[in-house]
Amino acid sequence: MKSVGHRIEPPLAAHASGELLAEGARFNEVIARLARAGYMPKGVYRYKSQEEANQHEQDCLVRAIARLALERRHG
């Protein structure tokens, strides 16, 4: 297994704050935007490696960007 980088988990907050609320709202907006974009076709996918999965995701994203560019060009 290959590990690249590391992530530091943010601490759990005992009290709500405006900053945490804004961060949560931004996260929710990004997730909703990705769901609406529909760049990954529905279905169950099985991959032999993480690299194969990454390549498939990248290919789907490129097709979605190209489709969006064509839609914008043609009105």
Side-chain angles (χ1 to χ4, degrees):
M1 177 188 280
K2 189 168 35 171
S3 293
V4 178
H6 64 282
R7 178 174 61 174
I8 299 172
E9 292 290 331
L12 294 176
H15 303 287
S17 72
E19 182 181 325
L20 291 175
L21 180 62
E23 186 178 328
R26 282 191 301 272
F27 175 77
N28 195 27
E29 184 179 321
V30 168
I31 295 300
R33 193 178 312 137
L34 284 175
R36 283 191 308 268
Y39 76 91
M40 186 67 108
K42 290 184 180 181
V44 177
Y45 301 96
R46 288 180 171 69
Y47 304 101
K48 294 178 183 174
S49 66
Q50 185 63 45
E51 288 77 17
E52 185 181 353
N54 291 343
Q55 185 63 49
H56 180 245
E57 182 180 23
Q58 186 177 10
D59 292 344
C60 290
L61 186 57
V62 167
R63 280 193 294 270
I65 290 170
R67 186 176 60 239
L68 182 60
L70 283 173
E71 289 173 5
R72 288 181 178 172
R73 177 181 283 182
H74 296 292

